[in-house]
């Protein structure tokens, strides 16, 4: 892809997949410590180690003025009562906002900042969530189909996963008798 001259590539809007974009896959075993129910985590990883999410991005050079963009696909599933989700991250350049447009599926975008302000924005096809500057973000699939979103952000922003890997987000989204519920994360 020629980032100096421009290009066009294809994405499937239903699945979020692209043969031409650069793909990254996250298996459940790569998310150790991120789900509350460690027994359920161990059983699932030993049995099938499911693909939890993947993203397809342009592979934009991390330069000021360039824009990173692509799709994120979170598959349906649960670890215990907790729905499949992305690891979530802050940007290394913390003051970086990021819009997400939901293309398919249903779920939530969970956001929180260092001061503890948080929100859970509903994702359904056509909904655009604006993740503001300074907020960590994680998408969660509460449905039965893949949750597909399109994202874009400044390409030099970087990703900081470490802060989230320690304790996670302040809130969890769990299945309570068949419906999603937002509950406190006991690690906080
Ligand atoms: Mn981001």
């Amino acid at each position: 892809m020629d980032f100096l001259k421009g290009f066009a590539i294809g994405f499937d809007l239903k699945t979020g997949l692209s043969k031409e974009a650069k793909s990254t896959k996250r298996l459940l075993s790569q998310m150790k410590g991120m789900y509350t129910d460690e027994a359920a985590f161990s059983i699932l990883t030993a049995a099938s180690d499911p693909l939890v999410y993947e993203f397809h991005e342009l592979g934009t050079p991390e330069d000021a003025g360039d824009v990173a963009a692509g799709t994120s696909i979170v598959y349906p599933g649960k670890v215990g009562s907790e729905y499949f989700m992305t690891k979530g991250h802050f940007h290394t350049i913390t003051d970086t906002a990021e819009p997400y447009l939901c293309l398919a599926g249903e779920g939530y975008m969970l956001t929180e900042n260092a001061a503890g302000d948080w929100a859970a924005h509903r994702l359904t096809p056509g909904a655009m969530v604006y993740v503001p500057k300074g907020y960590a973000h994680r998408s969660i699939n509460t449905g039965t189909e893949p949750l597909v979103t399109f994202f874009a952000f400044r390409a030099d922003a970087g990703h900081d996963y470490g802060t989230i890997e320690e304790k996670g987000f302040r809130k969890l989204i769990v299945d309570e008798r068949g419906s999603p519920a937002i509950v406190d994360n006991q690690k906080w």
Side-chain angles (χ1 to χ4, degrees):
M1 281 172 255
D2 190 335
F3 289 92
L4 295 176
K5 290 185 76 75
F7 55 86
I9 64 169
F11 280 83
D12 184 300
L13 296 181
K14 284 207 168 59
T15 63
L17 301 174
S18 170
K19 288 193 180 77
E20 297 154 285
K22 181 181 154 201
S23 74
T24 305
K25 295 181 193 306
R26 295 259 196 253
L27 302 175
L28 184 60
S29 58
Q30 295 171 285
M31 299 182 74
K32 193 166 172 50
M34 305 196 82
Y35 288 91
T36 303
D37 189 337
E38 289 179 10
F41 177 90
S42 298
I43 291 167
L44 258 179
T45 43
S48 61
D49 197 13
L51 175 62
V52 178
Y53 67 99
E54 60 184 304
F55 41 94
H56 291 248
E57 56 184 338
L58 303 180
T60 314
E62 295 181 2
D63 293 334
D66 275 308
V67 175
T71 53
S72 160
I73 304 140
V74 185
Y75 291 100
K78 282 183 289 185
V79 179
S81 63
E82 203 172 353
Y83 296 102
F84 276 12
M85 61 190 181
T86 61
K87 284 186 170 186
H89 58 266
F90 283 97
H91 293 128
T92 310
I93 298 175
T94 315
D95 275 352
T96 299
E98 182 172 4
Y100 280 82
L101 173 63
C102 182
L103 302 176
E106 59 180 287
Y108 288 87
M109 180 66 70
L110 191 58
T111 65
E112 71 175 40
N113 68 5
D117 185 47
W118 67 275
H121 301 285
R122 189 98 173 94
L123 289 170
T124 53
M128 178 172 273
V129 171
Y130 189 77
V131 177
K133 296 187 283 188
Y135 280 73
H137 38 289
R138 154 182 288 170
S139 42
I140 298 145
N141 186 342
T142 59
T144 55
E145 303 293 327
L147 173 65
V148 182
T149 51
F150 168 84
F151 61 85
F153 62 95
R154 61 182 285 185
D156 61 346
H159 291 92
D160 166 16
Y161 292 101
T163 309
I164 298 299
E165 278 172 348
E166 284 173 33
K167 285 200 286 188
F169 283 66
R170 288 167 173 81
K171 301 289 174 183
L172 307 175
I173 302 190
V174 299
D175 180 345
E176 278 188 5
R177 294 177 297 278
S179 297
I182 301 165
V183 300
D184 291 335
N185 175 1
Q186 298 303 324
K187 287 183 188 167
W188 276 89

